Amino acid sequence: MNGEKKMAIIATQGTLDWAYPPLILATTAAALDYQVSMFYTFYGLQVLRKNLDLRLSPMGNPAMPMPVSLPVLMQALPGMEAMATAIMRKKLTKRGVASVRTLRDMALESEVRIIACQMTVDLFAFRREDLIDGIVFAGATAFMEAAAKANITLYT
Amino acid sequence: MPDQTLDTKGLSCPLPILHAKRILQKMPPGQILAVEATDPGSAKDFESFCTQTGNSLLSASESSGVFFYTIRKV
């Protein structure tokens, strides 16, 4: 069964919350015997950093649950981002949700193919050694090759 | 009697499935894996996992918030 079904995912987001959906889908698909390719581009590259430091901000996100509801201007105050990040981390741990690092490790372990977009690596002046080992550096063409053969293609 | 057991109590999606898959991969065909979970979504997920991977879901039950599954490796 291995290798028959294929999934391709584009991951563009680099916040603590949005790092999850592509990794959850990729690891689950791999567990269902899909051959998975992920194309990390723009802010998504944050998720591939060796030194993971993902955050999230309550700014501009009225759906983010906060302990007290804060006026929008107050959300811009120093420390609010750190607070929102801490609240989310606590929630995730309490609910037994895997860390982003764990899911990323499991993705690589289950042979998910991760492509880092070379153009955005250069744009944001990342060095290859800033990003995890075991990934491929390539462009949209390489992703299209995977996507063209995929049963499922997602943009996240 | 199961050949292997897996406790995923307290873990959320997709960890119960990922851990189960990891163990099943190392088991010989025909052997049985017993899984315990507290993720309420796991009931539908294990059924769907077995449908998609060809493994057999031999039993699924729930008792005071804990779900029990037995899966025969294809």
Side-chain angles (χ1 to χ4, degrees), chain A residues 1-9 29-30 32-37 143-155, chain B residues 52:
Chain A
M1 186 165 296
N2 229 334
E4 275 180 19
K5 302 181 285 185
K6 294 188 173 66
M7 179 159 87
I9 303 175
L32 297 172
D33 302 320
Y34 281 78
Q35 208 179 76
V36 183
S37 297
F143 176 77
M144 284 307 298
E145 189 183 338
K149 296 178 209 147
N151 306 84
I152 302 169
T153 301
L154 301 173
Y155 180 90
Chain B
Q52 292 179 73

PDB file of all heavy atoms in Angstrom, chain A residues 1-9 29-30 32-37 143-155, chain B residues 52:
ATOM      1  N   MET A   1       0.825  -1.203   0.000  1.00  0.00           N
ATOM      2  CA  MET A   1       0.000   0.000   0.000  1.00  0.00           C
ATOM      3  C   MET A   1       0.868   1.265   0.000  1.00  0.00           C
ATOM      4  O   MET A   1       0.505   2.301  -0.531  1.00  0.00           O
ATOM      5  CB  MET A   1      -0.921  -0.005   1.205  1.00  0.00           C
ATOM      6  CG  MET A   1      -1.902   1.153   1.164  1.00  0.00           C
ATOM      7  SD  MET A   1      -3.299   1.030   2.272  1.00  0.00           S
ATOM      8  CE  MET A   1      -4.174  -0.380   1.699  1.00  0.00           C
ATOM      9  N   ASN A   2       2.065   1.165   0.619  1.00  0.00           N
ATOM     10  CA  ASN A   2       2.921   2.342   0.745  1.00  0.00           C
ATOM     11  C   ASN A   2       3.250   2.992  -0.598  1.00  0.00           C
ATOM     12  O   ASN A   2       3.675   2.330  -1.515  1.00  0.00           O
ATOM     13  CB  ASN A   2       4.227   1.938   1.437  1.00  0.00           C
ATOM     14  CG  ASN A   2       4.532   2.886   2.575  1.00  0.00           C
ATOM     15  OD1 ASN A   2       4.093   4.039   2.544  1.00  0.00           O
ATOM     16  ND2 ASN A   2       5.265   2.412   3.556  1.00  0.00           N
ATOM     17  N   GLY A   3       3.043   4.323  -0.667  1.00  0.00           N
ATOM     18  CA  GLY A   3       3.450   5.041  -1.858  1.00  0.00           C
ATOM     19  C   GLY A   3       2.376   5.183  -2.902  1.00  0.00           C
ATOM     20  O   GLY A   3       2.541   5.918  -3.863  1.00  0.00           O
ATOM     21  N   GLU A   4       1.250   4.495  -2.730  1.00  0.00           N
ATOM     22  CA  GLU A   4       0.198   4.605  -3.727  1.00  0.00           C
ATOM     23  C   GLU A   4      -0.564   5.914  -3.625  1.00  0.00           C
ATOM     24  O   GLU A   4      -0.883   6.535  -4.621  1.00  0.00           O
ATOM     25  CB  GLU A   4      -0.796   3.443  -3.579  1.00  0.00           C
ATOM     26  CG  GLU A   4      -0.345   2.209  -4.309  1.00  0.00           C
ATOM     27  CD  GLU A   4      -1.341   1.083  -4.146  1.00  0.00           C
ATOM     28  OE1 GLU A   4      -2.500   1.357  -3.796  1.00  0.00           O
ATOM     29  OE2 GLU A   4      -0.938  -0.064  -4.352  1.00  0.00           O
ATOM     30  N   LYS A   5      -0.875   6.291  -2.385  1.00  0.00           N
ATOM     31  CA  LYS A   5      -1.652   7.508  -2.188  1.00  0.00           C
ATOM     32  C   LYS A   5      -0.690   8.657  -1.883  1.00  0.00           C
ATOM     33  O   LYS A   5       0.293   8.478  -1.169  1.00  0.00           O
ATOM     34  CB  LYS A   5      -2.612   7.322  -1.006  1.00  0.00           C
ATOM     35  CG  LYS A   5      -3.559   6.154  -1.193  1.00  0.00           C
ATOM     36  CD  LYS A   5      -4.502   6.002  -0.018  1.00  0.00           C
ATOM     37  CE  LYS A   5      -3.840   5.427   1.203  1.00  0.00           C
ATOM     38  NZ  LYS A   5      -4.792   5.164   2.312  1.00  0.00           N
ATOM     39  N   LYS A   6      -1.000   9.820  -2.431  1.00  0.00           N
ATOM     40  CA  LYS A   6      -0.092  10.953  -2.226  1.00  0.00           C
ATOM     41  C   LYS A   6      -0.842  12.203  -1.797  1.00  0.00           C
ATOM     42  O   LYS A   6      -1.961  12.461  -2.237  1.00  0.00           O
ATOM     43  CB  LYS A   6       0.667  11.244  -3.516  1.00  0.00           C
ATOM     44  CG  LYS A   6       1.617  10.128  -3.928  1.00  0.00           C
ATOM     45  CD  LYS A   6       2.475  10.557  -5.102  1.00  0.00           C
ATOM     46  CE  LYS A   6       3.546   9.542  -5.423  1.00  0.00           C
ATOM     47  NZ  LYS A   6       2.997   8.263  -5.911  1.00  0.00           N
ATOM     48  N   MET A   7      -0.199  12.986  -0.931  1.00  0.00           N
ATOM     49  CA  MET A   7      -0.766  14.271  -0.522  1.00  0.00           C
ATOM     50  C   MET A   7       0.321  15.339  -0.597  1.00  0.00           C
ATOM     51  O   MET A   7       1.489  15.063  -0.305  1.00  0.00           O
ATOM     52  CB  MET A   7      -1.334  14.204   0.898  1.00  0.00           C
ATOM     53  CG  MET A   7      -1.901  15.537   1.362  1.00  0.00           C
ATOM     54  SD  MET A   7      -3.083  15.388   2.719  1.00  0.00           S
ATOM     55  CE  MET A   7      -1.984  15.413   4.090  1.00  0.00           C
ATOM     56  N   ALA A   8      -0.078  16.538  -0.998  1.00  0.00           N
ATOM     57  CA  ALA A   8       0.856  17.663  -1.071  1.00  0.00           C
ATOM     58  C   ALA A   8       0.268  18.831  -0.289  1.00  0.00           C
ATOM     59  O   ALA A   8      -0.925  19.129  -0.407  1.00  0.00           O
ATOM     60  CB  ALA A   8       1.077  18.050  -2.525  1.00  0.00           C
ATOM     61  N   ILE A   9       1.103  19.458   0.529  1.00  0.00           N
ATOM     62  CA  ILE A   9       0.626  20.561   1.368  1.00  0.00           C
ATOM     63  C   ILE A   9       1.553  21.762   1.222  1.00  0.00           C
ATOM     64  O   ILE A   9       2.777  21.625   1.298  1.00  0.00           O
ATOM     65  CB  ILE A   9       0.609  20.170   2.865  1.00  0.00           C
ATOM     66  CG1 ILE A   9      -0.254  18.930   3.098  1.00  0.00           C
ATOM     67  CG2 ILE A   9       0.122  21.318   3.734  1.00  0.00           C
ATOM     68  CD1 ILE A   9      -0.207  18.421   4.543  1.00  0.00           C
ATOM     69  N   ALA A  29      -1.775  11.765   7.543  1.00  0.00           N
ATOM     70  CA  ALA A  29      -1.778  11.168   6.204  1.00  0.00           C
ATOM     71  C   ALA A  29      -0.678  10.111   6.091  1.00  0.00           C
ATOM     72  O   ALA A  29      -0.895   9.036   5.521  1.00  0.00           O
ATOM     73  CB  ALA A  29      -1.593  12.249   5.145  1.00  0.00           C
ATOM     74  N   ALA A  30       0.490  10.403   6.663  1.00  0.00           N
ATOM     75  CA  ALA A  30       1.584   9.421   6.631  1.00  0.00           C
ATOM     76  C   ALA A  30       1.168   8.150   7.370  1.00  0.00           C
ATOM     77  O   ALA A  30       1.468   7.044   6.924  1.00  0.00           O
ATOM     78  CB  ALA A  30       2.855  10.019   7.236  1.00  0.00           C
ATOM     79  N   LEU A  32      -1.707   7.021   7.465  1.00  0.00           N
ATOM     80  CA  LEU A  32      -2.682   6.356   6.592  1.00  0.00           C
ATOM     81  C   LEU A  32      -2.030   5.911   5.284  1.00  0.00           C
ATOM     82  O   LEU A  32      -2.709   5.709   4.285  1.00  0.00           O
ATOM     83  CB  LEU A  32      -3.854   7.309   6.318  1.00  0.00           C
ATOM     84  CG  LEU A  32      -4.666   7.713   7.553  1.00  0.00           C
ATOM     85  CD1 LEU A  32      -5.665   8.802   7.214  1.00  0.00           C
ATOM     86  CD2 LEU A  32      -5.374   6.511   8.159  1.00  0.00           C
ATOM     87  N   ASP A  33      -0.712   5.825   5.312  1.00  0.00           N
ATOM     88  CA  ASP A  33       0.074   5.316   4.183  1.00  0.00           C
ATOM     89  C   ASP A  33       0.112   6.237   2.968  1.00  0.00           C
ATOM     90  O   ASP A  33       0.319   5.779   1.846  1.00  0.00           O
ATOM     91  CB  ASP A  33      -0.414   3.916   3.755  1.00  0.00           C
ATOM     92  CG  ASP A  33      -0.336   2.926   4.901  1.00  0.00           C
ATOM     93  OD1 ASP A  33       0.665   2.990   5.645  1.00  0.00           O
ATOM     94  OD2 ASP A  33      -1.255   2.116   5.064  1.00  0.00           O
ATOM     95  N   TYR A  34      -0.117   7.530   3.192  1.00  0.00           N
ATOM     96  CA  TYR A  34       0.095   8.490   2.100  1.00  0.00           C
ATOM     97  C   TYR A  34       1.564   8.855   2.051  1.00  0.00           C
ATOM     98  O   TYR A  34       2.233   8.939   3.076  1.00  0.00           O
ATOM     99  CB  TYR A  34      -0.694   9.785   2.338  1.00  0.00           C
ATOM    100  CG  TYR A  34      -2.152   9.707   2.003  1.00  0.00           C
ATOM    101  CD1 TYR A  34      -3.051   9.096   2.873  1.00  0.00           C
ATOM    102  CD2 TYR A  34      -2.637  10.263   0.827  1.00  0.00           C
ATOM    103  CE1 TYR A  34      -4.401   9.034   2.572  1.00  0.00           C
ATOM    104  CE2 TYR A  34      -3.980  10.210   0.520  1.00  0.00           C
ATOM    105  CZ  TYR A  34      -4.858   9.591   1.399  1.00  0.00           C
ATOM    106  OH  TYR A  34      -6.189   9.535   1.088  1.00  0.00           O
ATOM    107  N   GLN A  35       2.038   9.095   0.849  1.00  0.00           N
ATOM    108  CA  GLN A  35       3.364   9.680   0.668  1.00  0.00           C
ATOM    109  C   GLN A  35       3.130  11.194   0.662  1.00  0.00           C
ATOM    110  O   GLN A  35       2.386  11.693  -0.191  1.00  0.00           O
ATOM    111  CB  GLN A  35       3.890   9.235  -0.686  1.00  0.00           C
ATOM    112  CG  GLN A  35       5.385   9.149  -0.778  1.00  0.00           C
ATOM    113  CD  GLN A  35       5.775   8.665  -2.157  1.00  0.00           C
ATOM    114  OE1 GLN A  35       5.725   9.427  -3.106  1.00  0.00           O
ATOM    115  NE2 GLN A  35       6.125   7.402  -2.265  1.00  0.00           N
ATOM    116  N   VAL A  36       3.713  11.899   1.631  1.00  0.00           N
ATOM    117  CA  VAL A  36       3.369  13.310   1.810  1.00  0.00           C
ATOM    118  C   VAL A  36       4.535  14.224   1.448  1.00  0.00           C
ATOM    119  O   VAL A  36       5.675  13.975   1.830  1.00  0.00           O
ATOM    120  CB  VAL A  36       2.960  13.581   3.284  1.00  0.00           C
ATOM    121  CG1 VAL A  36       2.522  15.031   3.464  1.00  0.00           C
ATOM    122  CG2 VAL A  36       1.852  12.630   3.724  1.00  0.00           C
ATOM    123  N   SER A  37       4.229  15.281   0.697  1.00  0.00           N
ATOM    124  CA  SER A  37       5.210  16.336   0.430  1.00  0.00           C
ATOM    125  C   SER A  37       4.688  17.642   1.008  1.00  0.00           C
ATOM    126  O   SER A  37       3.531  17.987   0.821  1.00  0.00           O
ATOM    127  CB  SER A  37       5.407  16.545  -1.075  1.00  0.00           C
ATOM    128  OG  SER A  37       5.922  15.383  -1.665  1.00  0.00           O
ATOM    129  N   PHE A 143       7.824  21.509  -6.075  1.00  0.00           N
ATOM    130  CA  PHE A 143       6.558  21.220  -5.402  1.00  0.00           C
ATOM    131  C   PHE A 143       5.501  20.802  -6.419  1.00  0.00           C
ATOM    132  O   PHE A 143       4.726  19.878  -6.179  1.00  0.00           O
ATOM    133  CB  PHE A 143       6.061  22.426  -4.605  1.00  0.00           C
ATOM    134  CG  PHE A 143       4.708  22.168  -4.001  1.00  0.00           C
ATOM    135  CD1 PHE A 143       4.583  21.371  -2.867  1.00  0.00           C
ATOM    136  CD2 PHE A 143       3.558  22.680  -4.580  1.00  0.00           C
ATOM    137  CE1 PHE A 143       3.338  21.093  -2.328  1.00  0.00           C
ATOM    138  CE2 PHE A 143       2.312  22.402  -4.042  1.00  0.00           C
ATOM    139  CZ  PHE A 143       2.196  21.615  -2.908  1.00  0.00           C
ATOM    140  N   MET A 144       5.475  21.472  -7.553  1.00  0.00           N
ATOM    141  CA  MET A 144       4.471  21.153  -8.577  1.00  0.00           C
ATOM    142  C   MET A 144       4.592  19.714  -9.050  1.00  0.00           C
ATOM    143  O   MET A 144       3.592  19.066  -9.348  1.00  0.00           O
ATOM    144  CB  MET A 144       4.594  22.115  -9.774  1.00  0.00           C
ATOM    145  CG  MET A 144       4.031  23.502  -9.522  1.00  0.00           C
ATOM    146  SD  MET A 144       2.331  23.474  -8.923  1.00  0.00           S
ATOM    147  CE  MET A 144       1.513  22.702 -10.329  1.00  0.00           C
ATOM    148  N   GLU A 145       5.821  19.231  -9.095  1.00  0.00           N
ATOM    149  CA  GLU A 145       6.022  17.840  -9.509  1.00  0.00           C
ATOM    150  C   GLU A 145       5.311  16.897  -8.540  1.00  0.00           C
ATOM    151  O   GLU A 145       4.647  15.944  -8.957  1.00  0.00           O
ATOM    152  CB  GLU A 145       7.522  17.532  -9.567  1.00  0.00           C
ATOM    153  CG  GLU A 145       7.807  16.190 -10.201  1.00  0.00           C
ATOM    154  CD  GLU A 145       9.295  15.840 -10.202  1.00  0.00           C
ATOM    155  OE1 GLU A 145      10.128  16.752 -10.099  1.00  0.00           O
ATOM    156  OE2 GLU A 145       9.591  14.636 -10.284  1.00  0.00           O
ATOM    157  N   ALA A 146       5.429  17.206  -7.231  1.00  0.00           N
ATOM    158  CA  ALA A 146       4.744  16.385  -6.219  1.00  0.00           C
ATOM    159  C   ALA A 146       3.236  16.597  -6.294  1.00  0.00           C
ATOM    160  O   ALA A 146       2.456  15.644  -6.226  1.00  0.00           O
ATOM    161  CB  ALA A 146       5.273  16.735  -4.829  1.00  0.00           C
ATOM    162  N   ALA A 147       2.823  17.852  -6.435  1.00  0.00           N
ATOM    163  CA  ALA A 147       1.394  18.177  -6.424  1.00  0.00           C
ATOM    164  C   ALA A 147       0.671  17.559  -7.620  1.00  0.00           C
ATOM    165  O   ALA A 147      -0.480  17.132  -7.510  1.00  0.00           O
ATOM    166  CB  ALA A 147       1.194  19.686  -6.401  1.00  0.00           C
ATOM    167  N   ALA A 148       1.357  17.502  -8.748  1.00  0.00           N
ATOM    168  CA  ALA A 148       0.732  16.976  -9.961  1.00  0.00           C
ATOM    169  C   ALA A 148       0.338  15.508  -9.801  1.00  0.00           C
ATOM    170  O   ALA A 148      -0.603  15.042 -10.422  1.00  0.00           O
ATOM    171  CB  ALA A 148       1.681  17.136 -11.142  1.00  0.00           C
ATOM    172  N   LYS A 149       1.081  14.796  -8.931  1.00  0.00           N
ATOM    173  CA  LYS A 149       0.805  13.368  -8.739  1.00  0.00           C
ATOM    174  C   LYS A 149      -0.062  13.126  -7.512  1.00  0.00           C
ATOM    175  O   LYS A 149      -0.356  11.974  -7.183  1.00  0.00           O
ATOM    176  CB  LYS A 149       2.122  12.617  -8.549  1.00  0.00           C
ATOM    177  CG  LYS A 149       3.029  12.647  -9.765  1.00  0.00           C
ATOM    178  CD  LYS A 149       4.324  11.905  -9.423  1.00  0.00           C
ATOM    179  CE  LYS A 149       5.502  12.445 -10.205  1.00  0.00           C
ATOM    180  NZ  LYS A 149       6.760  12.372  -9.456  1.00  0.00           N
ATOM    181  N   ALA A 150      -0.418  14.193  -6.791  1.00  0.00           N
ATOM    182  CA  ALA A 150      -1.103  14.019  -5.510  1.00  0.00           C
ATOM    183  C   ALA A 150      -2.604  13.806  -5.663  1.00  0.00           C
ATOM    184  O   ALA A 150      -3.236  14.390  -6.533  1.00  0.00           O
ATOM    185  CB  ALA A 150      -0.839  15.216  -4.609  1.00  0.00           C
ATOM    186  N   ASN A 151      -3.154  12.951  -4.771  1.00  0.00           N
ATOM    187  CA  ASN A 151      -4.599  12.777  -4.710  1.00  0.00           C
ATOM    188  C   ASN A 151      -5.231  13.972  -4.003  1.00  0.00           C
ATOM    189  O   ASN A 151      -6.374  14.318  -4.236  1.00  0.00           O
ATOM    190  CB  ASN A 151      -4.948  11.519  -3.895  1.00  0.00           C
ATOM    191  CG  ASN A 151      -4.240  10.296  -4.412  1.00  0.00           C
ATOM    192  OD1 ASN A 151      -3.101  10.054  -4.046  1.00  0.00           O
ATOM    193  ND2 ASN A 151      -4.899   9.549  -5.262  1.00  0.00           N
ATOM    194  N   ILE A 152      -4.461  14.535  -3.063  1.00  0.00           N
ATOM    195  CA  ILE A 152      -4.967  15.652  -2.256  1.00  0.00           C
ATOM    196  C   ILE A 152      -3.898  16.737  -2.226  1.00  0.00           C
ATOM    197  O   ILE A 152      -2.738  16.446  -1.957  1.00  0.00           O
ATOM    198  CB  ILE A 152      -5.216  15.197  -0.794  1.00  0.00           C
ATOM    199  CG1 ILE A 152      -6.202  14.034  -0.747  1.00  0.00           C
ATOM    200  CG2 ILE A 152      -5.713  16.359   0.063  1.00  0.00           C
ATOM    201  CD1 ILE A 152      -6.280  13.365   0.624  1.00  0.00           C
ATOM    202  N   THR A 153      -4.294  17.973  -2.489  1.00  0.00           N
ATOM    203  CA  THR A 153      -3.360  19.092  -2.346  1.00  0.00           C
ATOM    204  C   THR A 153      -4.025  20.180  -1.510  1.00  0.00           C
ATOM    205  O   THR A 153      -5.158  20.559  -1.771  1.00  0.00           O
ATOM    206  CB  THR A 153      -2.955  19.665  -3.711  1.00  0.00           C
ATOM    207  OG1 THR A 153      -2.351  18.634  -4.488  1.00  0.00           O
ATOM    208  CG2 THR A 153      -1.943  20.793  -3.556  1.00  0.00           C
ATOM    209  N   LEU A 154      -3.309  20.629  -0.486  1.00  0.00           N
ATOM    210  CA  LEU A 154      -3.877  21.624   0.421  1.00  0.00           C
ATOM    211  C   LEU A 154      -2.980  22.847   0.521  1.00  0.00           C
ATOM    212  O   LEU A 154      -1.761  22.739   0.499  1.00  0.00           O
ATOM    213  CB  LEU A 154      -4.012  21.019   1.823  1.00  0.00           C
ATOM    214  CG  LEU A 154      -4.873  19.768   1.965  1.00  0.00           C
ATOM    215  CD1 LEU A 154      -4.748  19.215   3.375  1.00  0.00           C
ATOM    216  CD2 LEU A 154      -6.326  20.096   1.655  1.00  0.00           C
ATOM    217  N   TYR A 155      -3.612  23.985   0.683  1.00  0.00           N
ATOM    218  CA  TYR A 155      -2.895  25.239   0.917  1.00  0.00           C
ATOM    219  C   TYR A 155      -3.234  25.706   2.331  1.00  0.00           C
ATOM    220  O   TYR A 155      -4.406  25.846   2.668  1.00  0.00           O
ATOM    221  CB  TYR A 155      -3.350  26.286  -0.110  1.00  0.00           C
ATOM    222  CG  TYR A 155      -2.668  27.606   0.049  1.00  0.00           C
ATOM    223  CD1 TYR A 155      -1.474  27.881  -0.623  1.00  0.00           C
ATOM    224  CD2 TYR A 155      -3.209  28.590   0.861  1.00  0.00           C
ATOM    225  CE1 TYR A 155      -0.842  29.095  -0.469  1.00  0.00           C
ATOM    226  CE2 TYR A 155      -2.580  29.813   1.017  1.00  0.00           C
ATOM    227  CZ  TYR A 155      -1.396  30.056   0.349  1.00  0.00           C
ATOM    228  OH  TYR A 155      -0.768  31.263   0.501  1.00  0.00           O
TER     229      TYR A 155
ATOM    230  N   GLN B  52      -9.176   2.859   6.204  1.00  0.00           N
ATOM    231  CA  GLN B  52      -8.221   3.375   5.220  1.00  0.00           C
ATOM    232  C   GLN B  52      -6.930   2.581   5.130  1.00  0.00           C
ATOM    233  O   GLN B  52      -6.235   2.646   4.119  1.00  0.00           O
ATOM    234  CB  GLN B  52      -7.897   4.852   5.525  1.00  0.00           C
ATOM    235  CG  GLN B  52      -9.078   5.768   5.289  1.00  0.00           C
ATOM    236  CD  GLN B  52      -8.733   7.210   5.609  1.00  0.00           C
ATOM    237  OE1 GLN B  52      -8.007   7.864   4.874  1.00  0.00           O
ATOM    238  NE2 GLN B  52      -9.233   7.701   6.728  1.00  0.00           N
TER     239      GLN B  52
END
